[in-house]
Amino acid sequence: MIFRKELKEALAIIDNMLVAVQKGIPARGTTGVEMRRVIGNFQANEVELVESFTIGTELFNCFEQARIAGATLDTMDGVREAMIAEQPLFDFGKAAKLSGMLFSFVEQCTLISKMVFISRTDVEAMMIRMNKVIDALKLEVSELMDGMDYQAMTKLAAILVQHLAVTERKLPQIVNYTMPKVRSALSLSNYFYGDGGRFVELIDENKIINPVFFTRDIRVLSE
Amino acid sequence: MGTIQDANPLATWRKRLRPASFAGATFHVEQQSRSSGMRVVVHEYPKRNLPYAEIMGRHAIRYQVTGYCIGPNYHLEKEQLLNVLERSEAGTLVDPYLPTKPLQCVCERFSVTEHRERGGYCSFEMSFVELGVVGNTPTQNTGLALSNQAGATGAAGVSTLNNAAQRFVSGITFGG
């Protein structure tokens, strides 16, 4: 009887995890079709996967497919929050919770490794965000982990911080400017960068609707 | 007309002299000094008479040059020299006394002085520092390292859950 409860608890945690993973990805259409197939397969064969000891492999595959389908950092934050809310009583459930949190962090790191940052400010914001994630992970799952898992997680966290620090060093800074009068994007691009062709960067950075009338308070790159 | 190199044929140092220049702009040298040396940290230990001077690498080579431009076309030479001193690039500094070792330098600071009483003449005070090479350039592809480690950590998570499944199934088997 107790085994049935343990299995039920773990599978419920995993189902919640998979609901959170799919958030933000269209539920129909060609986008994410492979993810839906993999997750559907997983949910149909959960018990068999437990019996064949391949539930971890297939669950990670679901996360990978979700990332490929367009899951974002926010999606993975959602997974982690859902996992933090879980309070499993049995070991299998605890392992499921731990894996969910670990997989969400892994996917976030993979997403970051492929990101293109424009300015130091972007990287700093990412660093602050990910530091919170790392702290939360250490707080929540360190007692559930064995030595090898903990080492793998801290190594990933260290390489993430190193990657962000190295990326930051190569980028220009964001500088805030207040112009004396309203000017167009083209003239501002020429004024700041000596190159009218970079007006799109200014529009994107300042979220301008009409590029002829730029706001007076603007953010520009230092280079 | 002879040059200073012909003044004493036995003085070989005169034959080695070459016109001084920076980034191709020539000037005459009134005086110059070159400085460098080792960066040293001296460790002095309590109750020991012998210190240890740890060599931490060479100081950058610096030149302090007092030069001048002279003659009916001195203003053209001056302008050429000003152009290369004020641009944001390094240039080759030819030391007239050490012409075999031209050095890539950057001008840190300079001043040019002209006197009403000295027509056709201007003097330059110039400080140069060795350019060297860019250091501490990150060559490691941290994005790739991050991606690889993410895979390794993911694999650790996978084995955690697979092992938990194995323990759970074994528990059922042995526990009934």
Side-chain angles (χ1 to χ4, degrees), chain A residues 53 55-57 106 149 152 162-163, chain B residues 140 142-143 150 153 160 162 164 168:
Chain A
F53 321 140
I55 188 162
T57 316
V106 163
D149 283 351
Q162 185 201 21
H163 171 65
Chain B
Q140 190 192 0
T142 51
T153 308
T160 300
N162 285 345
F168 171 71

Side-chain angles (χ1 to χ4, degrees), chain B residues 110-131:
Chain B
F110 77 93
S111 66
V112 55
T113 314
E114 285 165 303
H115 292 268
R116 179 179 56 79
E117 296 152 328
R118 297 182 189 171
Y121 172 88
C122 68
S123 68
F124 280 88
E125 287 289 338
M126 295 168 284
S127 300
F128 296 101
V129 65
E130 179 185 8
L131 176 67

Side-chain angles (χ1 to χ4, degrees), chain B residues 51-75:
Chain B
Y52 168 53
E54 186 181 359
I55 297 171
M56 307 296 280
R58 177 171 66 74
H59 274 295
I61 296 169
R62 286 174 187 275
Y63 272 95
Q64 185 67 40
V65 182
T66 306
Y68 61 92
C69 298
I70 194 166
N73 291 322
Y74 93 99
H75 60 290

Side-chain angles (χ1 to χ4, degrees), chain A residues 30 47 55 70 119 141 170 178 188 196 217:
Chain A
T30 49
V47 178
I55 188 162
S119 71
V141 297
K170 297 177 198 162
T178 303
L188 285 171
D217 296 319

Side-chain angles (χ1 to χ4, degrees), chain A residues 3 6-7 50-51 53-57 59-60 92 95-96 98-99 102-103 106 109-110 112-114 149 152-153 155-156 159-160 162-163 166 169-170, chain B residues 136-138 140-147 149-172 175-176:
Chain A
F3 291 113
E6 184 168 1
L7 182 64
V50 172
E51 285 169 355
F53 321 140
T54 55
I55 188 162
T57 316
L59 185 61
F60 188 48
F92 196 17
L98 167 65
S99 300
L102 214 51
F103 292 160
V106 163
C109 289
T110 311
I112 291 169
S113 75
K114 290 173 174 51
D149 283 351
M153 191 204 79
K155 194 172 178 188
L156 182 59
I159 292 178
L160 172 67
Q162 185 201 21
H163 171 65
V166 169
R169 220 168 34 219
K170 297 177 198 162
Chain B
N136 301 328
T137 309
Q140 190 192 0
N141 185 346
T142 51
L144 184 65
L146 180 60
S147 183
Q149 184 57 39
T153 308
V158 165
S159 63
T160 300
L161 194 55
N162 285 345
N163 292 342
Q166 194 171 4
R167 280 196 303 275
F168 171 71
V169 172
S170 309
I172 293 176

Side-chain angles (χ1 to χ4, degrees), chain A residues 127-145:
Chain A
M127 222 182 253
I128 291 167
R129 176 180 184 162
M130 292 314 292
N131 274 334
K132 283 181 189 162
V133 171
I134 293 165
D135 288 345
L137 265 177
K138 283 182 181 167
L139 191 72
E140 285 292 324
V141 297
S142 54
E143 63 190 26
L144 302 176
M145 285 179 170

Side-chain angles (χ1 to χ4, degrees), chain B residues 32-36 61-64 95 98 101 103:
Chain B
Q32 69 165 41
S33 60
R34 171 180 163 133
S35 63
S36 182
I61 296 169
R62 286 174 187 275
Y63 272 95
Q64 185 67 40
D95 174 349
L98 198 59
K101 289 185 179 176
L103 198 65

